Short mmCIF file of all heavy atoms in Angstrom, two decimals:
data_model
loop_
_atom_site.label_atom_id
_atom_site.label_comp_id
_atom_site.label_asym_id
_atom_site.label_seq_id
_atom_site.Cartn_x
_atom_site.Cartn_y
_atom_site.Cartn_z
N MET M 397 35.87 -16.38 -7.34
CA MET M 397 34.84 -17.34 -7.87
C MET M 397 35.46 -18.74 -7.83
O MET M 397 36.68 -18.89 -7.88
CB MET M 397 34.54 -16.93 -9.32
CG MET M 397 33.75 -15.65 -9.44
SD MET M 397 33.47 -15.11 -11.14
CE MET M 397 35.00 -14.31 -11.53
N THR M 448 29.59 -3.18 -13.39
CA THR M 448 29.64 -4.39 -12.59
C THR M 448 30.20 -4.14 -11.21
O THR M 448 30.27 -5.04 -10.40
CB THR M 448 30.50 -5.44 -13.31
OG1 THR M 448 31.80 -4.88 -13.52
CG2 THR M 448 29.91 -5.92 -14.61
N ALA M 465 31.00 -7.94 -7.01
CA ALA M 465 30.43 -9.07 -6.29
C ALA M 465 30.29 -10.25 -7.26
O ALA M 465 29.17 -10.71 -7.50
CB ALA M 465 29.12 -8.66 -5.63
N ALA M 466 31.41 -10.73 -7.77
CA ALA M 466 31.39 -11.74 -8.83
C ALA M 466 30.80 -13.04 -8.34
O ALA M 466 30.27 -13.79 -9.18
CB ALA M 466 32.84 -11.94 -9.38
N TYR M 467 30.98 -13.34 -7.10
CA TYR M 467 30.41 -14.60 -6.57
C TYR M 467 28.97 -14.42 -6.01
O TYR M 467 28.11 -15.28 -6.23
CB TYR M 467 31.31 -15.18 -5.49
CG TYR M 467 30.85 -16.50 -5.00
CD1 TYR M 467 30.77 -17.62 -5.93
CD2 TYR M 467 30.41 -16.73 -3.70
CE1 TYR M 467 30.26 -18.82 -5.51
CE2 TYR M 467 29.89 -17.98 -3.27
CZ TYR M 467 29.85 -19.02 -4.19
OH TYR M 467 29.35 -20.20 -3.81
N ARG M 469 26.94 -12.29 -7.10
CA ARG M 469 26.19 -11.98 -8.28
C ARG M 469 25.04 -11.03 -8.07
O ARG M 469 23.86 -11.34 -8.27
CB ARG M 469 25.64 -13.30 -8.91
CG ARG M 469 26.73 -14.11 -9.60
CD ARG M 469 26.38 -15.60 -9.69
NE ARG M 469 26.99 -16.35 -8.62
CZ ARG M 469 26.95 -17.63 -8.53
NH1 ARG M 469 26.34 -18.35 -9.42
NH2 ARG M 469 27.57 -18.25 -7.44
N THR M 470 25.37 -9.85 -7.58
CA THR M 470 24.35 -8.86 -7.23
C THR M 470 24.02 -7.98 -8.42
O THR M 470 23.13 -7.13 -8.35
CB THR M 470 24.89 -7.91 -6.10
OG1 THR M 470 26.14 -7.35 -6.52
CG2 THR M 470 25.12 -8.68 -4.83
N PHE M 471 24.77 -8.09 -9.51
CA PHE M 471 24.55 -7.14 -10.63
C PHE M 471 24.03 -7.82 -11.89
O PHE M 471 24.15 -7.24 -12.98
CB PHE M 471 25.84 -6.33 -10.90
CG PHE M 471 27.07 -7.20 -10.99
CD1 PHE M 471 27.43 -7.75 -12.23
CD2 PHE M 471 27.85 -7.40 -9.90
CE1 PHE M 471 28.57 -8.51 -12.24
CE2 PHE M 471 29.01 -8.21 -9.94
CZ PHE M 471 29.36 -8.77 -11.14
N CYS M 472 23.53 -9.03 -11.80
CA CYS M 472 23.08 -9.71 -13.02
C CYS M 472 21.98 -8.95 -13.72
O CYS M 472 21.84 -9.03 -14.97
CB CYS M 472 22.63 -11.12 -12.66
SG CYS M 472 23.91 -12.15 -11.98
N GLY M 473 21.17 -8.17 -12.95
CA GLY M 473 20.02 -7.51 -13.57
C GLY M 473 20.42 -6.50 -14.64
O GLY M 473 19.64 -6.24 -15.58
N THR M 474 21.64 -5.98 -14.55
CA THR M 474 22.05 -5.00 -15.61
C THR M 474 23.15 -5.50 -16.51
O THR M 474 23.72 -4.81 -17.29
CB THR M 474 22.65 -3.69 -14.90
OG1 THR M 474 23.68 -4.12 -14.01
CG2 THR M 474 21.56 -2.96 -14.12
N CYS M 475 23.39 -6.86 -16.39
CA CYS M 475 24.52 -7.44 -17.17
C CYS M 475 24.04 -7.58 -18.66
O CYS M 475 23.03 -8.17 -18.94
CB CYS M 475 24.85 -8.80 -16.60
SG CYS M 475 26.05 -9.69 -17.62
N ASN M 476 24.83 -7.02 -19.52
CA ASN M 476 24.50 -7.18 -20.97
C ASN M 476 25.71 -7.70 -21.74
O ASN M 476 25.90 -7.40 -22.89
CB ASN M 476 24.08 -5.81 -21.53
CG ASN M 476 25.19 -4.75 -21.40
OD1 ASN M 476 26.24 -5.02 -20.85
ND2 ASN M 476 24.92 -3.58 -21.91
N ARG M 477 26.60 -8.41 -21.00
CA ARG M 477 27.83 -8.84 -21.62
C ARG M 477 27.75 -10.21 -22.33
O ARG M 477 27.04 -11.08 -21.79
CB ARG M 477 28.95 -8.89 -20.61
CG ARG M 477 29.40 -7.51 -20.11
CD ARG M 477 30.06 -7.56 -18.80
NE ARG M 477 30.64 -6.29 -18.41
CZ ARG M 477 29.89 -5.21 -18.00
NH1 ARG M 477 28.56 -5.33 -17.95
NH2 ARG M 477 30.51 -4.11 -17.67
N ARG M 479 30.48 -13.15 -23.87
CA ARG M 479 31.89 -13.56 -23.93
C ARG M 479 32.08 -14.56 -25.01
O ARG M 479 31.25 -15.45 -25.22
CB ARG M 479 32.39 -14.13 -22.60
CG ARG M 479 32.46 -13.06 -21.53
CD ARG M 479 32.92 -13.62 -20.21
NE ARG M 479 33.13 -12.56 -19.24
CZ ARG M 479 32.18 -11.88 -18.66
NH1 ARG M 479 30.92 -12.20 -18.89
NH2 ARG M 479 32.44 -10.91 -17.82
N GLN M 487 29.65 -17.56 -24.56
CA GLN M 487 29.23 -17.70 -23.19
C GLN M 487 28.34 -16.50 -22.80
O GLN M 487 28.82 -15.31 -22.91
CB GLN M 487 30.39 -17.77 -22.24
CG GLN M 487 31.05 -19.11 -22.21
CD GLN M 487 31.95 -19.34 -21.03
OE1 GLN M 487 33.02 -18.79 -20.94
NE2 GLN M 487 31.45 -20.08 -20.06
N THR M 488 27.12 -16.74 -22.49
CA THR M 488 26.17 -15.62 -22.21
C THR M 488 26.28 -15.26 -20.74
O THR M 488 25.66 -14.31 -20.36
CB THR M 488 24.77 -16.07 -22.59
OG1 THR M 488 24.46 -17.27 -22.01
CG2 THR M 488 24.61 -16.10 -24.10
N CYS M 489 27.03 -16.02 -19.99
CA CYS M 489 27.27 -15.69 -18.54
C CYS M 489 28.56 -16.31 -18.09
O CYS M 489 28.91 -17.41 -18.58
CB CYS M 489 26.09 -16.23 -17.68
SG CYS M 489 26.38 -16.04 -15.91
N LEU M 490 29.26 -15.63 -17.19
CA LEU M 490 30.50 -16.21 -16.68
C LEU M 490 30.32 -17.59 -16.04
O LEU M 490 31.23 -18.38 -16.00
CB LEU M 490 31.04 -15.28 -15.58
CG LEU M 490 31.99 -14.21 -15.92
CD1 LEU M 490 32.35 -13.43 -14.69
CD2 LEU M 490 33.24 -14.78 -16.58
N TYR M 491 29.09 -17.78 -15.53
CA TYR M 491 28.88 -19.05 -14.76
C TYR M 491 28.36 -20.18 -15.70
O TYR M 491 28.14 -21.28 -15.25
CB TYR M 491 27.86 -18.82 -13.63
CG TYR M 491 28.59 -18.17 -12.43
CD1 TYR M 491 28.82 -16.78 -12.37
CD2 TYR M 491 29.09 -18.92 -11.41
CE1 TYR M 491 29.48 -16.21 -11.34
CE2 TYR M 491 29.74 -18.38 -10.30
CZ TYR M 491 29.93 -17.02 -10.32
OH TYR M 491 30.60 -16.44 -9.25
N ALA M 492 28.06 -19.82 -16.93
CA ALA M 492 27.56 -20.84 -17.86
C ALA M 492 28.76 -21.57 -18.47
O ALA M 492 29.83 -20.97 -18.66
CB ALA M 492 26.68 -20.22 -18.91
N ARG M 521 19.37 -16.77 -22.93
CA ARG M 521 20.36 -16.75 -21.85
C ARG M 521 19.70 -16.86 -20.49
O ARG M 521 18.53 -16.51 -20.31
CB ARG M 521 21.20 -15.45 -21.93
CG ARG M 521 20.44 -14.18 -21.59
CD ARG M 521 21.29 -12.96 -21.85
NE ARG M 521 22.44 -12.86 -21.01
CZ ARG M 521 23.39 -11.95 -21.15
NH1 ARG M 521 23.31 -11.02 -22.09
NH2 ARG M 521 24.41 -11.90 -20.36
N ALA M 522 20.47 -17.37 -19.53
CA ALA M 522 19.92 -17.56 -18.19
C ALA M 522 19.58 -16.17 -17.59
O ALA M 522 20.23 -15.16 -17.94
CB ALA M 522 20.98 -18.23 -17.29
N LYS M 523 18.62 -16.16 -16.66
CA LYS M 523 18.25 -14.82 -16.17
C LYS M 523 19.27 -14.27 -15.23
O LYS M 523 19.34 -13.02 -15.03
CB LYS M 523 16.82 -14.89 -15.51
CG LYS M 523 16.76 -15.54 -14.11
CD LYS M 523 15.33 -15.35 -13.56
CE LYS M 523 15.06 -15.93 -12.19
NZ LYS M 523 15.96 -16.81 -11.58
N ASP M 524 20.10 -15.08 -14.62
CA ASP M 524 21.14 -14.59 -13.79
C ASP M 524 22.28 -15.67 -13.60
O ASP M 524 22.13 -16.77 -14.10
CB ASP M 524 20.67 -14.14 -12.36
CG ASP M 524 19.92 -15.26 -11.61
OD1 ASP M 524 20.30 -16.41 -11.83
OD2 ASP M 524 19.00 -14.93 -10.85
N GLY M 525 23.28 -15.29 -12.89
CA GLY M 525 24.43 -16.23 -12.76
C GLY M 525 24.13 -17.48 -11.98
O GLY M 525 24.82 -18.48 -12.10
N PHE M 526 23.12 -17.43 -11.12
CA PHE M 526 22.72 -18.65 -10.36
C PHE M 526 22.08 -19.66 -11.30
O PHE M 526 22.38 -20.88 -11.28
CB PHE M 526 21.81 -18.30 -9.21
CG PHE M 526 22.49 -17.42 -8.22
CD1 PHE M 526 22.29 -16.06 -8.14
CD2 PHE M 526 23.38 -18.03 -7.28
CE1 PHE M 526 22.94 -15.26 -7.21
CE2 PHE M 526 24.05 -17.25 -6.33
CZ PHE M 526 23.81 -15.86 -6.31
N ALA M 528 22.45 -19.72 -14.49
CA ALA M 528 23.44 -20.15 -15.49
C ALA M 528 24.36 -21.29 -14.86
O ALA M 528 24.76 -22.21 -15.54
CB ALA M 528 24.32 -19.00 -15.92
S1 LIG R 670 24.62 -12.72 -15.62
FE1 LIG R 670 26.53 -13.94 -15.36
S2 LIG R 670 28.13 -12.74 -16.31
FE2 LIG R 670 26.34 -11.36 -16.01
S3 LIG R 670 26.71 -10.40 -14.03
FE3 LIG R 670 25.50 -12.21 -13.62
S4 LIG R 670 26.97 -13.77 -13.12
FE4 LIG R 670 28.11 -12.16 -14.14
#
Side-chain angles (χ1 to χ4, degrees):
M397 293 176 277
T448 54
Y467 184 62
R469 286 157 265 185
T470 55
F471 47 87
C472 296
T474 56
C475 174
N476 61 357
R477 288 160 174 73
R479 288 178 174 77
Q487 282 198 285
T488 51
C489 172
L490 269 180
Y491 282 82
R521 71 188 294 175
K523 75 172 179 350
D524 57 31
F526 295 101

